[in-house]
Amino acid sequence: MSDPFVVVGADAAGLSAASKCRREAPDREVVVFEKGRWISYAYCGMPYFIEGLIERMSNLLSLSPSEVDERGIDLRRGHEVVGVDPDANTVTVETAAGDTLEQSYGDLLVATGGRASTGAFDVRGLDGAFTLHSMDAAAAIDAYIAEPEAYDPARADVSAVDRERVDRNASMPAPETAAIVGGGYVGIEMAEALVGRGLDVHLFHRSGHLLSDFGEAVGERVETELTEKGVTVRTDAPVDGLVGDDRIEGIAFDGADGVETLPVDFAVVGVGIQPNTELLNGTGVDLGAGGAIRTDEYGRTSLPDVYAAGDCATAIHAVTGEEAWMPLGLTANRAGRAVGATVAGDPSPVGEIASTAAVKAFDMEAGRVGLIDAAAAREAGFDPVRETVTAGSRSGYYPGAAPTDVTLVADRDTGRLIGGSIVGPDRAAIRIDTLATALEADMTVPEVERLDLAYAPPFSPVWDPILVAAKVLNGALDDD
Amino acid sequence: MSDPFVVVGADAAGLSAASKCRREAPDREVVVFEKGRWISYAYCGMPYFIEGLIERMSNLLSLSPSEVDERGIDLRRGHEVVGVDPDANTVTVETAAGDTLEQSYGDLLVATGGRASTGAFDVRGLDGAFTLHSMDAAAAIDAYIAEPEAYDPARADVSAVDRERVDRNASMPAPETAAIVGGGYVGIEMAEALVGRGLDVHLFHRSGHLLSDFGEAVGERVETELTEKGVTVRTDAPVDGLVGDDRIEGIAFDGADGVETLPVDFAVVGVGIQPNTELLNGTGVDLGAGGAIRTDEYGRTSLPDVYAAGDCATAIHAVTGEEAWMPLGLTANRAGRAVGATVAGDPSPVGEIASTAAVKAFDMEAGRVGLIDAAAAREAGFDPVRETVTAGSRSGYYPGAAPTDVTLVADRDTGRLIGGSIVGPDRAAIRIDTLATALEADMTVPEVERLDLAYAPPFSPVWDPILVAAKVLNGALDDD
């Protein structure tokens, strides 16, 4: 075939694109190269697997290679794309067997994802120290936590798994004290998971409140919840490095009295991810926010016939209208699907992102959307006004009513809602979708205050917490 | 004083208006007439009081008379307004003591609420037969259900309560078999409450599915849930009448083989409410949808200086832009507050209604918004296209993921979202607020499909059920 759609990377964005293209243009050849053995796995499910909520690693796979095959997709695992020639419309591929081959493309999608950042330190080569950005890491962590005699190998029941790594970690003595480096959502979820596995957990966060992107109100409630559940939370505590020769022995961090070392026998570093763009080095492709591959509203890069989607690509932010880099699951799936439709002949915008996110921390739930940080809002040209209210999640007389903190951020001049967060133990996270919808509709805060939201005592008081927050923020806007 | 703001009715709309006016215009005299003894009670909480979830009736009061007094409001209970003279700007008031007085007004708010409909039959005079539209009825029902020796008079711990009625009901033998007439949300909530109190419960509904306003998908799931929890649900079973002389003995209904009679010793009739508009008889005021008092965007009636708000008044529907009558709690509070601001000199629209509602039925939750019924949509000038999908509430691998049915209705020509419902056991009800927001923003279904909703395995799969439904409905719209 002369005109195949070639995809690099077989996870959310890549396989969504490949599947959509095959469905819409059944005659078009679709080739997906995946350098590893894993495909289509639920990255976001790994902490819950480690926690033990999920019994088998195979539960985290959404598509098997044979299901991909049934869709008529030519999936080639163990094939690493090492170069792109945008003039010749070819990619160079190295196989696990050591062969090199050339593949021409009509359209190319780069869906290479991201990888864990480790900041100034590195976990490689240190037993008991991990990042969490692959299923092999999740399997290894799960094995490492277990007592050697208690580990059930059937937990890692996927043929793709790095069995040698799992066995080696399973054979080590079980850890007792864990350090988590980074209080973002992966760090929070890992804290819950490791407490669930019976460990003494210490969470280190560089800045003053956890979940920096969610704002202070969320950070404080989540910190309280973690502390109540037995996690030692250290904020304003940048980690200097991991201590140890072969196995991790401690965490060196900036404490109140200078550098301190906490002895640990387990560390998970989750300080963020970075986009995998190396494949396009030398092609002259434009990079954008976060160093990710710059894409337009259809997922097109600056190279002809080359698209990018998912954690390696930028997207357009719904509030700022500007380019942003927000590696999130829905973004990847949606953008992949849109690119698949576009290359099948049905041009489809990848959609804007509002950087909507939700997180669970034990019995606390939180969501965030848009611009919350004042500096970020100002940088985007807004004059942010922010209010946080605490309101009941249900009618006050109904059992289970719980304090829910809603933060709303508006632009002073226009009154437009530009961001918000919600935190509380009672159905708080899913309420963020209401704000995400208001924000994507460019609603003003007065419009939000007039929303006809549902009232039923078991679910919401007459004045939903979102309406209370809008009322208070309107008052602040009026006072100016 | 020459120019008081006079309010008729001291519940949600009336007291919201009075309070807001006093706050905004502290010098203005505000007089509230209430014909009964109760003020500011949570109508929607009564089923939960009867269920026993709420220990004391006083928990259902939001404002006491003394708190109203502290706000500078001249509250006069036991004062029934029996006439309005719109030419003279006066009302005629009869007091419980038998006096008659005249009161002039600068502005008048009619907030007389609604009363229970009983359809073709009447519960009056029949022991053990009740409607549920007053706190006295709730207290009486609570007393009636209890064994005489087990009833705790402290349950009805409010001085306003009709103690004689409570005592009489408490002294009767406890019922064993209850009929609920009407499968709307009050009927559903009462079914849950009475099962909770140990009764054998039979629910009669005139039409083919419960919760008619919520659409078939919700009705079916709720019927299944009620049945599983032990309620005998009879749909397509219009009730002909209540049987009995002094005390209720049975329910006569249209069964499969003609009129049947089910022996019961307890009946609650909840077939809807009707607006209390009699006060304005003879004034020439315009009535509108549902026979309620016609109001404009500021809550003004067709009479000069006379406003109406709450269950006795119409409102503007967000989807149709037309007048509608939807007696709901937020509508009343919001409209009252707006009228209070308007008469205080700050003209404030009462806001549109989307007829957003939510209901809990044991472990099932549901919400609805906008136009769901095809005939109603056509009557409003739309060409409705409807799809219902079943999707997971969480990532499939995460414990607690539950089937969630989302129904979306769009207008064929414009693709605009005009209504929807959501039902499921896992955080389904509160999700309706997302649809309410999309609907009030006049979003099209393609816009809904592109919403950046939160993804986190404990709360939502990558493709939220709402997004799945939008995708399917878009497919149906495209196929036309």
Side-chain angles (χ1 to χ4, degrees):
Chain A
M1 301 278 291
S2 60
D3 186 32
F5 175 38
V6 172
V7 175
V8 187
D11 199 7
L15 286 181
S16 293
S19 301
K20 183 68 177 173
C21 179
R22 283 293 301 175
R23 232 179 1 255
E24 301 291 315
D27 295 334
R28 188 160 189 195
E29 186 184 3
V30 176
V31 183
V32 178
F33 294 111
E34 167 56 49
K35 73 174 175 179
R37 296 170 52 81
W38 292 93
I39 67 160
S40 186
Y41 62 91
Y43 169 66
C44 298
M46 293 193 287
Y48 310 108
F49 170 75
I50 293 168
E51 185 170 356
L53 289 179
I54 297 160
E55 206 172 335
R56 297 278 181 264
M57 185 155 258
S58 57
N59 299 137
L60 294 182
L61 305 183
S62 24
L63 279 176
S64 68
S66 61
E67 286 166 326
V68 174
D69 190 58
E70 280 161 25
R71 294 183 179 184
I73 296 165
D74 181 2
L75 170 66
R76 308 203 202 155
R77 293 189 291 166
H79 282 59
E80 181 172 9
V81 177
V82 295
V84 175
D85 184 339
D87 298 319
N89 274 36
T90 58
V91 294
T92 306
V93 185
E94 291 182 355
T95 72
D99 298 326
T100 299
L101 57 93
E102 296 262 299
Q103 168 71 50
S104 68
Y105 60 81
D107 295 293
L108 176 69
L109 171 63
V110 178
T112 43
R115 62 181 177 279
S117 305
T118 50
F121 39 83
D122 196 344
V123 300
R124 280 161 221 257
L126 211 51
D127 286 341
F130 302 86
T131 61
L132 181 63
H133 200 71
S134 74
M135 294 288 268
D136 283 323
I141 290 172
D142 180 58
Y144 181 73
I145 296 171
E147 289 290 351
E149 62 276 15
Y151 178 67
D152 174 9
R155 291 266 295 158
D157 64 338
V158 181
S159 63
V161 81
D162 183 343
R163 183 65 54 186
E164 188 187 320
R165 186 176 173 194
V166 168
D167 290 345
R168 215 169 64 78
N169 277 282
S171 71
M172 297 180 200
E176 293 176 357
T177 306
I180 297 170
V181 184
Y185 60 88
V186 172
I188 303 293
E189 289 163 356
M190 282 304 298
E192 177 178 335
L194 299 185
V195 167
R197 293 287 295 266
L199 289 158
D200 177 23
V201 178
H202 298 255
L203 177 64
F204 294 86
H205 193 59
R206 172 174 294 274
S207 69
H209 62 87
L210 299 176
L211 288 167
S212 309
D213 293 344
F214 285 65
E216 293 85 346
V218 173
E220 284 166 17
R221 292 283 298 267
V222 168
E223 180 172 341
T224 301
E225 176 72 8
L226 292 177
T227 303
E228 285 177 1
K229 293 299 195 299
V231 177
T232 304
V233 178
R234 296 175 195 258
T235 52
D236 286 320
V239 168
D240 293 305
L242 308 185
V243 179
D245 293 325
D246 299 318
R247 191 182 184 191
I248 179 110
E249 291 167 15
I251 289 281
F253 65 99
D254 292 358
D257 309 312
V259 175
E260 299 175 33
T261 298
L262 175 79
V264 300
D265 46 14
F266 183 22
V268 179
V269 178
V271 297
I273 75 164
Q274 57 192 94
N276 292 328
T277 62
E278 292 71 12
L279 169 58
L280 295 177
N281 282 353
T283 61
V285 74
D286 285 354
L287 299 183
I293 303 165
R294 174 167 291 157
T295 57
D296 71 5
E297 61 177 318
Y298 292 95
R300 293 178 294 219
T301 71
S302 61
L303 302 175
D305 305 324
V306 179
Y307 297 77
D311 291 357
C312 64
T314 66
I316 304 297
H317 196 286
V319 176
T320 65
E322 304 286 330
E323 164 183 293
W325 179 62
M326 302 278 169
L328 288 169
L330 176 59
T331 309
N333 277 275
R334 188 195 297 275
R337 187 164 180 271
V339 169
T342 297
V343 300
D346 174 22
S348 301
V350 295
E352 299 181 334
I353 56 167
S355 61
T356 318
V359 67
K360 175 180 178 296
F362 296 98
D363 298 323
M364 194 59 63
E365 307 182 357
R368 60 92 60 220
V369 68
L371 302 174
I372 297 174
D373 181 64
R378 275 191 286 270
E379 198 176 326
F382 298 105
D383 181 4
V385 186
R386 173 158 73 164
E387 290 287 345
T388 298
V389 303
T390 302
S393 61
R394 311 178 178 190
S395 292
Y397 54 78
Y398 196 94
T404 304
D405 294 343
V406 178
T407 299
L408 295 182
V409 188
D411 178 45
R412 190 182 307 269
D413 292 340
T414 60
R416 180 179 163 202
L417 179 74
I418 61 171
S421 71
I422 307 181
V423 61
D426 180 33
R427 294 180 172 82
I430 202 74
R431 290 178 195 257
I432 201 68
D433 287 346
T434 301
L435 291 185
T437 305
L439 190 141
E440 294 206 45
D442 292 343
M443 279 189 176
T444 64
V445 180
E447 287 171 333
V448 173
E449 188 186 339
R450 285 195 294 270
L451 283 174
D452 189 9
L453 302 185
Y455 157 49
F459 309 124
S460 168
V462 172
W463 295 99
D464 187 273
I466 289 173
L467 300 179
V468 177
K471 204 186 296 191
V472 171
L473 183 51
N474 274 330
L477 288 165
D478 284 345
D479 288 346
D480 289 337
Chain B
M1 300 277 292
S2 60
D3 186 33
F5 174 39
V6 172
V7 176
V8 187
D11 198 9
L15 286 180
S16 294
S19 301
K20 182 68 176 175
C21 179
R22 284 292 303 174
R23 236 183 354 260
E24 301 293 315
D27 295 334
R28 186 156 190 199
E29 187 185 1
V30 176
V31 183
V32 178
F33 294 111
E34 167 55 47
K35 70 173 174 179
R37 298 170 51 81
W38 292 94
I39 66 161
S40 187
Y41 61 91
Y43 169 67
C44 298
M46 292 193 288
Y48 310 108
F49 170 73
I50 292 168
E51 185 171 357
L53 288 178
I54 296 160
E55 207 173 335
R56 297 277 180 265
M57 186 154 257
S58 57
N59 298 138
L60 294 183
L61 305 182
S62 23
L63 277 177
S64 68
S66 61
E67 285 167 325
V68 173
D69 190 58
E70 279 161 26
R71 293 183 180 184
I73 296 165
D74 181 1
L75 170 66
R76 306 202 203 155
R77 293 188 292 165
H79 282 58
E80 182 172 8
V81 178
V82 294
V84 175
D85 183 340
D87 298 320
N89 274 37
T90 58
V91 294
T92 305
V93 185
E94 292 182 355
T95 72
D99 300 324
T100 300
L101 57 92
E102 298 261 298
Q103 168 72 49
S104 69
Y105 60 81
D107 295 293
L108 176 69
L109 171 63
V110 178
T112 44
R115 62 180 179 281
S117 306
T118 51
F121 39 83
D122 195 344
V123 300
R124 279 161 221 253
L126 210 51
D127 286 342
F130 303 85
T131 60
L132 182 63
H133 200 71
S134 74
M135 293 290 267
D136 283 322
I141 290 173
D142 180 58
Y144 181 73
I145 296 172
E147 289 290 352
E149 63 275 17
Y151 178 68
D152 175 8
R155 291 266 295 157
D157 64 337
V158 181
S159 63
V161 83
D162 182 343
R163 182 66 55 190
E164 188 186 321
R165 185 176 174 196
V166 167
D167 289 345
R168 215 168 66 78
N169 277 282
S171 70
M172 297 180 201
E176 292 177 358
T177 307
I180 298 170
V181 184
Y185 60 88
V186 173
I188 302 294
E189 289 162 358
M190 281 305 297
E192 177 178 335
L194 299 186
V195 167
R197 292 288 293 266
L199 288 159
D200 177 22
V201 178
H202 298 254
L203 178 63
F204 293 87
H205 193 57
R206 173 174 294 274
S207 69
H209 61 87
L210 299 176
L211 289 167
S212 309
D213 294 344
F214 286 65
E216 293 85 346
V218 172
E220 285 166 14
R221 292 283 300 265
V222 167
E223 181 173 342
T224 301
E225 176 72 8
L226 292 177
T227 304
E228 284 178 0
K229 293 301 195 300
V231 177
T232 304
V233 178
R234 297 176 196 258
T235 51
D236 286 321
V239 168
D240 293 305
L242 308 185
V243 179
D245 293 323
D246 299 319
R247 191 182 184 189
I248 179 120
E249 291 166 17
I251 288 281
F253 65 99
D254 292 359
D257 310 313
V259 174
E260 299 176 34
T261 298
L262 176 79
V264 301
D265 47 13
F266 183 22
V268 179
V269 178
V271 297
I273 76 164
Q274 56 192 94
N276 292 328
T277 62
E278 290 72 12
L279 171 58
L280 295 178
N281 281 353
T283 60
V285 74
D286 285 353
L287 300 183
I293 304 165
R294 174 167 291 156
T295 57
D296 71 3
E297 61 177 316
Y298 290 96
R300 293 179 293 219
T301 70
S302 61
L303 303 176
D305 306 324
V306 180
Y307 298 77
D311 290 357
C312 64
T314 66
I316 304 297
H317 196 286
V319 176
T320 66
E322 305 287 331
E323 164 184 294
W325 179 62
M326 303 278 169
L328 287 169
L330 176 58
T331 309
N333 278 274
R334 188 198 297 275
R337 188 165 180 270
V339 169
T342 297
V343 301
D346 175 21
S348 301
V350 295
E352 298 181 333
I353 56 167
S355 62
T356 317
V359 67
K360 173 179 177 297
F362 296 98
D363 298 323
M364 193 59 62
E365 307 182 355
R368 60 93 60 221
V369 68
L371 303 174
I372 297 174
D373 180 63
R378 274 192 287 268
E379 197 176 327
F382 298 107
D383 182 5
V385 185
R386 174 158 75 164
E387 290 287 344
T388 298
V389 304
T390 302
S393 61
R394 311 178 179 190
S395 294
Y397 53 77
Y398 195 92
T404 303
D405 294 343
V406 178
T407 298
L408 295 182
V409 187
D411 177 46
R412 191 182 305 270
D413 292 340
T414 60
R416 180 180 161 200
L417 179 73
I418 61 171
S421 72
I422 308 182
V423 60
D426 180 33
R427 293 181 173 83
I430 202 73
R431 291 178 195 257
I432 201 68
D433 287 345
T434 302
L435 291 185
T437 306
L439 189 142
E440 294 208 45
D442 292 342
M443 279 190 176
T444 64
V445 180
E447 286 171 335
V448 173
E449 188 185 338
R450 286 195 293 271
L451 284 174
D452 190 8
L453 302 185
Y455 158 47
F459 309 124
S460 168
V462 172
W463 295 97
D464 186 273
I466 289 173
L467 301 179
V468 176
K471 204 187 296 190
V472 171
L473 183 53
N474 274 329
L477 289 166
D478 284 346
D479 288 345
D480 289 335

